[in-house]
Amino acid sequence: MLDQWTDFFVMVGGGAAGLAGLIFVAISINPERIVRNTTHKNRAINMLSGFSAIFMACSLALLGGQYLPALGLEWLLLWGIATFIFVRGYVVAIKAGMSTIGLTGPRLAGGTMCYLAEVAGAIFLILGRGVGLYIAALGTIVLFAFLISGAWLLIIGIYEEPAKG
């Protein structure tokens, strides 16, 4: 069944890798403001870890000769860690009370639901159910939108913050 998904994983994995690289370059242009601000720092971590997790999930899916339960176990571990990083980053940023741009309940809930869709997809795969691929794919597509908008919020937040001078 994974053979039918090769093009999807190549396209999404390549896109995630490219966007992770662009985020890294964007962060390196103004690292002082990102490191100083808890919101920016955690948003940067979330964007990099999210795109990296998508890339790794696609890479794992493209490994030859795997059965769905093995992929599901790999994804469960990967997405469990990525979910923890995402939720922790949001909670830390909210508690810090620094830049609040984009720190809303709906963004936290929406992003968390995307990550939990990945976890649910992994569980279905562990159970040998191919529907897990569809659940994870849908979660990934929506997560892409959250990560791209989060990257935009990071850039906007950095430049809306007054510069120390």
Side-chain angles (χ1 to χ4, degrees), residues 12-102:
V12 172
L19 289 170
L22 288 173
I23 296 292
F24 191 85
V25 169
I27 290 168
S28 69
I29 291 171
N30 211 339
E32 305 86 29
R33 285 191 176 178
I34 293 171
V35 172
R36 269 195 342 259
N37 184 300
T38 304
T39 300
H40 301 333
K41 181 170 62 174
N42 283 286
R43 182 168 282 137
I45 290 167
N46 280 348
M47 297 311 103
L48 284 173
S49 65
F51 283 125
S52 296
I54 291 172
F55 172 74
M56 287 185 271
C58 291
S59 298
L60 290 168
L62 290 170
L63 290 175
Q66 280 201 98
Y67 294 104
L68 293 181
L71 178 61
L73 191 58
E74 295 162 357
W75 277 6
L76 184 61
L77 179 63
L78 172 67
W79 289 113
I81 293 168
T83 302
F84 174 78
I85 291 169
F86 174 78
V87 172
R88 181 195 168 282
Y90 239 95
V91 170
V92 168
I94 290 170
K95 284 184 179 180
M98 295 184 104
S99 174
T100 58
I101 186 169

Coordinates of all heavy atoms in Angstrom, one line a residue, residues 12-102:
V12 N 5.8 16.1 -0.4 CA 5.6 16.7 0.9 C 7.0 16.8 1.7 O 7.3 17.8 2.3 CB 4.6 16.0 1.7 CG1 4.5 16.5 3.2 CG2 3.2 16.2 1.1
G13 N 7.7 15.7 1.6 CA 9.0 15.7 2.3 C 10.0 16.7 1.7 O 10.7 17.4 2.5
G14 N 10.0 16.8 0.4 CA 10.9 17.8 -0.2 C 10.5 19.2 0.1 O 11.3 20.1 0.4
G15 N 9.2 19.5 0.1 CA 8.7 20.8 0.5 C 9.0 21.1 1.9 O 9.4 22.3 2.2
A16 N 8.8 20.2 2.8 CA 9.1 20.4 4.2 C 10.6 20.7 4.4 O 11.0 21.6 5.2 CB 8.7 19.2 5.1
A17 N 11.5 20.0 3.7 CA 12.9 20.2 3.9 C 13.3 21.6 3.4 O 14.1 22.3 4.0 CB 13.7 19.1 3.1
G18 N 12.7 22.0 2.2 CA 13.0 23.3 1.7 C 12.5 24.4 2.6 O 13.2 25.4 2.8
L19 N 11.3 24.3 3.2 CA 10.8 25.3 4.1 C 11.6 25.3 5.4 O 11.8 26.4 5.9 CB 9.3 25.1 4.3 CG 8.4 25.4 3.1 CD1 7.0 24.9 3.3 CD2 8.4 26.9 2.8
A20 N 12.0 24.2 5.9 CA 12.8 24.2 7.1 C 14.1 25.0 6.8 O 14.6 25.7 7.7 CB 13.2 22.8 7.5
G21 N 14.7 24.8 5.6 CA 15.9 25.5 5.3 C 15.7 27.0 5.2 O 16.5 27.8 5.7
L22 N 14.5 27.4 4.6 CA 14.2 28.8 4.6 C 14.0 29.4 5.9 O 14.4 30.6 6.2 CB 13.0 29.1 3.7 CG 13.2 28.8 2.2 CD1 11.9 28.9 1.4 CD2 14.2 29.9 1.6
I23 N 13.3 28.7 6.8 CA 13.1 29.2 8.2 C 14.4 29.4 8.9 O 14.7 30.3 9.6 CB 12.2 28.2 9.0 CG1 10.8 28.0 8.4 CG2 12.2 28.5 10.5 CD1 10.0 29.2 8.5
F24 N 15.3 28.4 8.7 CA 16.7 28.5 9.3 C 17.4 29.8 8.8 O 18.0 30.5 9.6 CB 17.5 27.3 9.0 CG 18.7 27.2 9.8 CD1 18.7 26.6 11.1 CD2 19.9 27.6 9.3 CE1 19.9 26.6 11.8 CE2 21.1 27.6 10.0 CZ 21.1 27.0 11.3
V25 N 17.3 30.0 7.5 CA 18.0 31.2 7.0 C 17.3 32.5 7.6 O 18.0 33.4 8.0 CB 17.9 31.2 5.4 CG1 18.3 32.6 4.9 CG2 18.8 30.1 4.9
A26 N 16.0 32.5 7.6 CA 15.3 33.7 8.1 C 15.7 33.9 9.6 O 15.8 35.1 10.0 CB 13.8 33.5 8.0
I27 N 15.8 32.8 10.4 CA 16.2 33.0 11.8 C 17.6 33.5 11.9 O 17.9 34.3 12.8 CB 16.0 31.6 12.5 CG1 14.5 31.3 12.6 CG2 16.7 31.6 13.9 CD1 14.3 29.8 13.0
S28 N 18.5 33.1 11.0 CA 19.9 33.5 11.1 C 20.1 34.9 10.8 O 21.1 35.5 11.1 CB 20.7 32.6 10.3 OG 20.5 32.8 8.9
I29 N 19.1 35.6 10.1 CA 19.3 37.0 9.8 C 19.1 37.9 11.0 O 19.8 38.9 11.1 CB 18.2 37.4 8.7 CG1 18.6 36.7 7.4 CG2 18.1 38.9 8.5 CD1 17.5 36.8 6.3
N30 N 18.3 37.5 11.9 CA 18.1 38.3 13.1 C 18.0 37.5 14.4 O 17.0 37.5 15.1 CB 16.8 39.1 12.9 CG 16.8 40.5 13.6 OD1 17.6 40.7 14.5 ND2 16.0 41.4 13.2
P31 N 19.0 36.7 14.7 CA 19.0 35.8 15.8 C 18.8 36.5 17.2 O 18.2 35.9 18.1 CB 20.2 35.0 15.7 CG 21.2 35.9 15.0 CD 20.3 36.7 14.0
E32 N 19.4 37.7 17.3 CA 19.3 38.4 18.6 C 17.9 38.6 19.1 O 17.6 38.3 20.3 CB 20.0 39.7 18.6 CG 21.5 39.7 18.1 CD 21.6 39.8 16.6 OE1 20.7 40.4 15.9 OE2 22.5 39.2 16.1
R33 N 17.0 39.1 18.2 CA 15.7 39.3 18.6 C 14.9 38.0 18.9 O 14.1 38.0 19.8 CB 14.9 40.1 17.5 CG 15.3 41.6 17.5 CD 14.4 42.3 16.6 NE 14.7 43.7 16.7 CZ 14.1 44.6 16.0 NH1 13.1 44.3 15.2 NH2 14.4 45.9 16.0
I34 N 15.2 37.0 18.2 CA 14.6 35.7 18.4 C 15.0 35.1 19.8 O 14.1 34.7 20.5 CB 14.8 34.7 17.3 CG1 14.2 35.3 16.0 CG2 14.4 33.3 17.6 CD1 14.5 34.6 14.7
V35 N 16.2 35.1 20.0 CA 16.7 34.5 21.3 C 16.3 35.3 22.5 O 16.0 34.7 23.5 CB 18.3 34.4 21.2 CG1 18.9 34.0 22.6 CG2 18.7 33.5 20.1
R36 N 16.2 36.6 22.4 CA 15.8 37.5 23.5 C 14.3 37.3 23.9 O 13.9 37.6 25.0 CB 16.0 39.0 23.2 CG 17.3 39.5 23.6 CD 17.4 41.0 23.6 NE 16.4 41.7 22.8 CZ 16.6 42.2 21.6 NH1 17.7 42.1 21.0 NH2 15.6 42.8 21.0
N37 N 13.5 37.0 22.9 CA 12.0 36.9 23.1 C 11.5 35.5 23.2 O 11.7 34.7 22.2 CB 11.3 37.7 22.0 CG 9.9 37.8 22.2 OD1 9.2 36.8 22.2 ND2 9.4 39.1 22.2
T38 N 10.9 35.1 24.3 CA 10.5 33.7 24.5 C 9.5 33.3 23.4 O 9.5 32.2 23.0 CB 9.9 33.6 25.9 OG1 10.9 34.0 26.9 CG2 9.5 32.2 26.2
T39 N 8.6 34.2 23.1 CA 7.6 33.8 22.0 C 8.3 33.5 20.7 O 8.0 32.5 20.1 CB 6.6 35.0 21.8 OG1 5.9 35.2 23.1 CG2 5.6 34.6 20.8
H40 N 9.2 34.4 20.3 CA 9.9 34.2 19.0 C 10.7 33.0 19.0 O 10.8 32.2 18.1 CB 10.7 35.4 18.7 CG 10.0 36.7 18.6 ND1 8.7 36.8 18.2 CD2 10.4 38.0 18.8 CE1 8.3 38.1 18.2 NE2 9.4 38.8 18.6
K41 N 11.4 32.8 20.1 CA 12.3 31.6 20.2 C 11.5 30.3 20.2 O 11.9 29.4 19.4 CB 13.1 31.6 21.6 CG 14.1 30.5 21.7 CD 15.0 30.7 22.9 CE 14.2 30.8 24.2 NZ 15.1 30.8 25.4
N42 N 10.4 30.2 20.9 CA 9.6 29.0 20.9 C 8.9 28.8 19.6 O 8.7 27.7 19.1 CB 8.7 28.9 22.1 CG 9.4 28.6 23.3 OD1 9.8 27.4 23.5 ND2 9.7 29.5 24.2
R43 N 8.5 29.9 18.9 CA 7.9 29.8 17.6 C 8.9 29.3 16.6 O 8.6 28.4 15.8 CB 7.3 31.1 17.2 CG 6.6 31.0 15.8 CD 5.7 32.2 15.5 NE 4.5 32.2 16.2 CZ 3.9 33.2 16.9 NH1 4.5 34.4 16.8 NH2 2.8 33.0 17.5
A44 N 10.1 29.8 16.7 CA 11.1 29.3 15.8 C 11.4 27.8 16.0 O 11.5 27.0 15.0 CB 12.4 30.1 16.0
I45 N 11.5 27.4 17.2 CA 11.7 26.0 17.5 C 10.5 25.2 17.0 O 10.7 24.1 16.4 CB 11.8 25.8 19.0 CG1 13.2 26.3 19.6 CG2 11.7 24.3 19.4 CD1 13.3 26.5 21.1
N46 N 9.3 25.6 17.2 CA 8.1 24.9 16.7 C 8.1 24.8 15.1 O 7.8 23.8 14.6 CB 6.8 25.6 17.1 CG 6.5 25.2 18.6 OD1 7.1 24.3 19.1 ND2 5.6 25.9 19.2
M47 N 8.5 25.9 14.4 CA 8.5 25.8 13.0 C 9.6 24.8 12.5 O 9.3 24.0 11.6 CB 8.8 27.2 12.4 CG 7.7 28.3 12.7 SD 6.0 27.8 12.4 CE 5.5 27.5 14.1
L48 N 10.8 24.9 13.0 CA 11.8 24.0 12.6 C 11.5 22.6 13.0 O 11.7 21.7 12.1 CB 13.2 24.5 13.3 CG 13.8 25.7 12.6 CD1 15.0 26.1 13.4 CD2 14.2 25.4 11.2
S49 N 11.0 22.3 14.2 CA 10.7 21.0 14.6 C 9.5 20.4 13.8 O 9.5 19.2 13.4 CB 10.5 20.8 16.1 OG 9.4 21.5 16.5
G50 N 8.6 21.3 13.5 CA 7.4 20.8 12.7 C 7.8 20.4 11.3 O 7.4 19.3 10.8
F51 N 8.5 21.3 10.6 CA 8.9 20.9 9.2 C 9.9 19.8 9.2 O 9.8 18.9 8.3 CB 9.5 22.1 8.5 CG 8.5 23.2 8.0 CD1 8.6 24.5 8.4 CD2 7.5 22.8 7.2 CE1 7.7 25.4 8.0 CE2 6.6 23.7 6.7 CZ 6.7 25.0 7.1
S52 N 10.7 19.7 10.2 CA 11.7 18.6 10.3 C 10.9 17.3 10.6 O 11.3 16.2 10.0 CB 12.7 18.8 11.4 OG 13.5 19.9 11.2
A53 N 9.9 17.3 11.4 CA 9.1 16.1 11.7 C 8.4 15.6 10.4 O 8.3 14.4 10.1 CB 8.1 16.3 12.8
I54 N 7.9 16.6 9.6 CA 7.2 16.2 8.4 C 8.2 15.5 7.5 O 8.0 14.5 6.8 CB 6.5 17.4 7.7 CG1 5.3 17.8 8.6 CG2 6.1 17.0 6.3 CD1 4.7 19.2 8.1
F55 N 9.4 16.1 7.3 CA 10.4 15.6 6.5 C 10.8 14.2 6.9 O 10.9 13.2 6.1 CB 11.7 16.5 6.5 CG 12.9 15.9 5.8 CD1 12.9 15.8 4.4 CD2 13.9 15.4 6.5 CE1 13.9 15.2 3.7 CE2 15.0 14.8 5.8 CZ 15.0 14.7 4.4
M56 N 11.0 14.0 8.2 CA 11.4 12.7 8.8 C 10.3 11.7 8.6 O 10.6 10.5 8.2 CB 11.8 12.8 10.2 CG 13.1 13.5 10.5 SD 13.6 13.5 12.2 CE 12.9 15.0 12.7
A57 N 9.0 12.1 8.8 CA 7.9 11.1 8.6 C 7.9 10.7 7.1 O 7.7 9.5 6.8 CB 6.6 11.8 9.0
C58 N 8.1 11.6 6.2 CA 8.1 11.2 4.8 C 9.3 10.3 4.5 O 9.1 9.4 3.7 CB 8.1 12.5 3.9 SG 6.6 13.4 4.0
S59 N 10.4 10.6 5.0 CA 11.6 9.8 4.8 C 11.4 8.4 5.3 O 11.7 7.4 4.7 CB 12.8 10.4 5.5 OG 13.1 11.7 5.0
L60 N 10.8 8.3 6.5 CA 10.5 6.9 7.1 C 9.5 6.2 6.2 O 9.7 4.9 6.0 CB 10.0 7.1 8.5 CG 11.0 7.5 9.5 CD1 10.3 7.9 10.8 CD2 12.1 6.5 9.8
A61 N 8.5 6.9 5.6 CA 7.6 6.2 4.8 C 8.2 5.7 3.5 O 7.7 4.8 2.9 CB 6.4 7.2 4.5
L62 N 9.3 6.4 3.0 CA 9.9 6.0 1.8 C 10.9 4.8 1.9 O 11.5 4.4 0.9 CB 10.6 7.2 1.1 CG 9.6 8.2 0.6 CD1 10.3 9.5 0.2 CD2 8.8 7.7 -0.6
L63 N 11.2 4.4 3.2 CA 12.1 3.3 3.4 C 11.5 2.1 2.8 O 10.3 1.8 3.0 CB 12.4 3.1 4.9 CG 13.2 4.1 5.6 CD1 13.3 3.8 7.1 CD2 14.6 4.2 5.0
G64 N 12.3 1.3 2.1 CA 11.8 0.1 1.4 C 11.5 -1.0 2.3 O 12.0 -1.2 3.3
G65 N 10.5 -1.8 1.8 CA 10.2 -3.1 2.5 C 9.5 -3.0 3.9 O 9.6 -3.9 4.6
Q66 N 9.0 -1.8 4.2 CA 8.3 -1.7 5.5 C 6.9 -2.1 5.5 O 6.2 -2.0 4.5 CB 8.4 -0.2 6.0 CG 9.7 0.2 6.5 CD 9.5 1.4 7.4 OE1 9.4 1.3 8.6 NE2 9.4 2.6 6.8
Y67 N 6.4 -2.6 6.6 CA 5.0 -2.9 6.8 C 4.4 -1.8 7.5 O 5.1 -1.0 8.2 CB 4.9 -4.3 7.6 CG 5.4 -5.5 6.8 CD1 6.6 -6.0 7.1 CD2 4.6 -6.0 5.7 CE1 7.1 -7.1 6.4 CE2 5.1 -7.1 5.0 CZ 6.3 -7.7 5.3 OH 6.7 -8.7 4.6
L68 N 3.1 -1.7 7.4 CA 2.4 -0.5 8.0 C 2.6 -0.5 9.5 O 2.8 0.6 10.1 CB 0.9 -0.6 7.7 CG 0.5 -0.4 6.3 CD1 -1.0 -0.5 6.1 CD2 1.0 1.0 5.8
P69 N 2.6 -1.6 10.3 CA 2.8 -1.5 11.7 C 4.2 -1.0 12.1 O 4.3 -0.2 13.1 CB 2.6 -2.9 12.2 CG 1.7 -3.6 11.2 CD 2.1 -3.0 9.9
A70 N 5.2 -1.3 11.3 CA 6.5 -0.8 11.6 C 6.6 0.7 11.4 O 7.1 1.5 12.2 CB 7.6 -1.5 10.7
L71 N 6.0 1.2 10.3 CA 5.9 2.6 10.0 C 5.1 3.3 11.1 O 5.5 4.4 11.6 CB 5.3 2.9 8.6 CG 5.2 4.4 8.2 CD1 6.5 5.1 8.2 CD2 4.5 4.5 6.9
G72 N 4.0 2.7 11.5 CA 3.2 3.3 12.5 C 4.0 3.5 13.9 O 3.8 4.5 14.5
L73 N 4.8 2.5 14.2 CA 5.5 2.6 15.4 C 6.6 3.7 15.3 O 6.8 4.5 16.3 CB 6.2 1.3 15.7 CG 6.9 1.1 17.1 CD1 5.9 1.3 18.2 CD2 7.5 -0.3 17.2
E74 N 7.2 3.8 14.2 CA 8.2 4.9 14.0 C 7.5 6.3 14.0 O 8.0 7.2 14.7 CB 8.9 4.7 12.6 CG 9.7 3.5 12.4 CD 10.0 3.1 11.0 OE1 9.5 3.8 10.1 OE2 10.7 2.1 10.8
W75 N 6.4 6.4 13.4 CA 5.6 7.6 13.4 C 5.1 8.0 14.8 O 5.1 9.1 15.1 CB 4.5 7.6 12.4 CG 4.9 7.9 11.0 CD1 6.1 8.0 10.4 CD2 4.0 8.0 9.9 NE1 6.0 8.3 9.1 CE2 4.7 8.2 8.7 CE3 2.6 7.9 9.7 CZ2 4.2 8.4 7.5 CZ3 2.0 8.1 8.5 CH2 2.8 8.3 7.4
L76 N 4.7 7.0 15.5 CA 4.2 7.3 16.8 C 5.2 7.9 17.7 O 5.0 8.9 18.4 CB 3.6 6.0 17.5 CG 3.0 6.1 18.9 CD1 1.8 7.1 18.8 CD2 2.6 4.8 19.4
L77 N 6.4 7.4 17.6 CA 7.5 8.0 18.4 C 7.8 9.4 17.9 O 7.9 10.3 18.7 CB 8.8 7.1 18.3 CG 10.0 7.6 19.0 CD1 9.8 7.6 20.5 CD2 11.2 6.7 18.7
L78 N 8.0 9.5 16.6 CA 8.3 10.8 16.0 C 7.2 11.9 16.3 O 7.6 13.0 16.8 CB 8.4 10.7 14.5 CG 8.6 12.0 13.7 CD1 9.9 12.6 14.0 CD2 8.4 11.7 12.2
W79 N 6.0 11.5 16.1 CA 4.9 12.5 16.3 C 4.6 12.8 17.8 O 4.1 13.8 18.1 CB 3.6 12.1 15.5 CG 3.9 12.3 14.0 CD1 3.9 11.4 13.1 CD2 4.1 13.6 13.3 NE1 4.2 11.9 11.8 CE2 4.3 13.3 12.0 CE3 4.2 14.9 13.8 CZ2 4.5 14.2 11.0 CZ3 4.5 15.8 12.8 CH2 4.6 15.5 11.5
G80 N 4.9 11.8 18.6 CA 4.8 12.0 20.0 C 5.7 13.1 20.5 O 5.4 14.0 21.2
I81 N 7.0 13.0 20.0 CA 8.0 14.0 20.4 C 7.6 15.3 19.8 O 7.7 16.4 20.5 CB 9.4 13.5 19.9 CG1 9.8 12.3 20.7 CG2 10.4 14.6 20.0 CD1 11.0 11.6 20.2
A82 N 7.2 15.4 18.5 CA 6.9 16.6 17.9 C 5.7 17.3 18.6 O 5.7 18.5 18.7 CB 6.6 16.4 16.4
T83 N 4.7 16.5 19.0 CA 3.5 17.1 19.7 C 4.0 17.7 21.0 O 3.5 18.8 21.3 CB 2.5 16.0 19.9 OG1 2.1 15.4 18.6 CG2 1.2 16.5 20.6
F84 N 4.8 17.0 21.7 CA 5.3 17.5 23.0 C 6.0 18.9 22.8 O 5.8 19.8 23.5 CB 6.2 16.5 23.7 CG 6.9 17.1 24.9 CD1 6.2 17.2 26.1 CD2 8.2 17.5 24.9 CE1 6.8 17.7 27.2 CE2 8.8 18.1 26.0 CZ 8.1 18.1 27.2
I85 N 6.9 18.9 21.8 CA 7.7 20.2 21.5 C 6.7 21.3 21.2 O 6.9 22.4 21.6 CB 8.7 19.9 20.4 CG1 9.8 19.0 20.8 CG2 9.3 21.3 19.9 CD1 10.7 18.5 19.7
F86 N 5.7 21.0 20.3 CA 4.7 22.0 19.9 C 4.0 22.6 21.1 O 3.9 23.8 21.3 CB 3.8 21.5 18.9 CG 2.7 22.4 18.5 CD1 2.9 23.5 17.6 CD2 1.4 22.3 19.0 CE1 1.9 24.4 17.3 CE2 0.4 23.2 18.7 CZ 0.7 24.3 17.8
V87 N 3.4 21.7 21.9 CA 2.5 22.2 23.0 C 3.4 22.8 24.0 O 3.0 23.9 24.6 CB 1.7 21.0 23.6 CG1 1.0 21.4 24.9 CG2 0.7 20.4 22.6
R88 N 4.5 22.3 24.4 CA 5.4 22.9 25.4 C 5.8 24.3 24.9 O 5.8 25.2 25.7 CB 6.6 22.0 25.6 CG 7.6 22.6 26.6 CD 9.0 22.0 26.5 NE 9.9 22.7 27.3 CZ 10.5 23.8 27.0 NH1 10.2 24.4 25.8 NH2 11.4 24.4 27.8
G89 N 6.2 24.5 23.7 CA 6.6 25.8 23.2 C 5.5 26.8 23.3 O 5.8 28.0 23.7
Y90 N 4.3 26.4 23.0 CA 3.2 27.3 23.1 C 2.9 27.7 24.5 O 2.7 28.9 24.9 CB 1.9 26.7 22.5 CG 1.3 27.5 21.4 CD1 1.6 27.2 20.1 CD2 0.4 28.5 21.6 CE1 1.1 27.9 19.0 CE2 -0.1 29.3 20.6 CZ 0.2 28.9 19.3 OH -0.3 29.7 18.2
V91 N 2.9 26.7 25.4 CA 2.7 27.0 26.8 C 3.7 27.9 27.4 O 3.4 28.9 28.1 CB 2.6 25.7 27.6 CG1 2.5 25.9 29.1 CG2 1.3 24.9 27.2
V92 N 5.0 27.6 27.1 CA 6.1 28.5 27.6 C 6.0 29.9 27.1 O 6.1 30.9 27.8 CB 7.5 27.9 27.2 CG1 8.6 28.8 27.4 CG2 7.7 26.6 28.0
A93 N 5.6 30.1 25.8 CA 5.5 31.4 25.2 C 4.3 32.1 25.9 O 4.4 33.3 26.2 CB 5.3 31.3 23.7
I94 N 3.2 31.5 26.1 CA 2.1 32.1 26.7 C 2.4 32.6 28.1 O 2.1 33.7 28.6 CB 0.8 31.2 26.7 CG1 0.3 31.1 25.2 CG2 -0.3 31.7 27.6 CD1 -0.8 30.0 25.0
K95 N 3.0 31.7 28.9 CA 3.4 32.0 30.3 C 4.4 33.1 30.4 O 4.4 33.9 31.3 CB 4.0 30.8 31.0 CG 2.9 29.8 31.4 CD 3.6 28.6 32.1 CE 2.5 27.6 32.6 NZ 3.1 26.5 33.3
A96 N 5.3 33.2 29.4 CA 6.3 34.3 29.4 C 5.7 35.7 29.2 O 6.2 36.7 29.7 CB 7.4 34.0 28.3
G97 N 4.6 35.8 28.5 CA 3.9 37.0 28.3 C 4.6 38.1 27.5 O 4.4 39.2 27.7
M98 N 5.5 37.6 26.7 CA 6.3 38.6 25.9 C 5.4 39.0 24.7 O 4.3 39.5 24.8 CB 7.6 38.1 25.5 CG 8.5 37.9 26.7 SD 10.2 37.3 26.4 CE 11.1 38.8 26.6
S99 N 5.9 38.8 23.5 CA 5.2 39.1 22.3 C 4.0 38.1 22.2 O 4.1 36.9 22.3 CB 6.0 38.8 21.0 OG 5.3 39.0 19.9
T100 N 2.8 38.7 22.1 CA 1.6 37.8 22.1 C 1.0 37.6 20.6 O 0.0 37.0 20.5 CB 0.5 38.5 22.9 OG1 0.2 39.8 22.4 CG2 0.9 38.5 24.4
I101 N 1.7 38.2 19.6 CA 1.2 38.0 18.3 C 1.0 36.6 17.9 O 2.0 35.8 18.0 CB 2.1 38.8 17.3 CG1 1.5 38.8 15.9 CG2 3.5 38.2 17.2 CD1 2.1 39.7 14.9
G102 N -0.2 36.2 17.6 CA -0.5 34.8 17.1 C -0.6 33.8 18.3 O -0.8 32.6 18.0

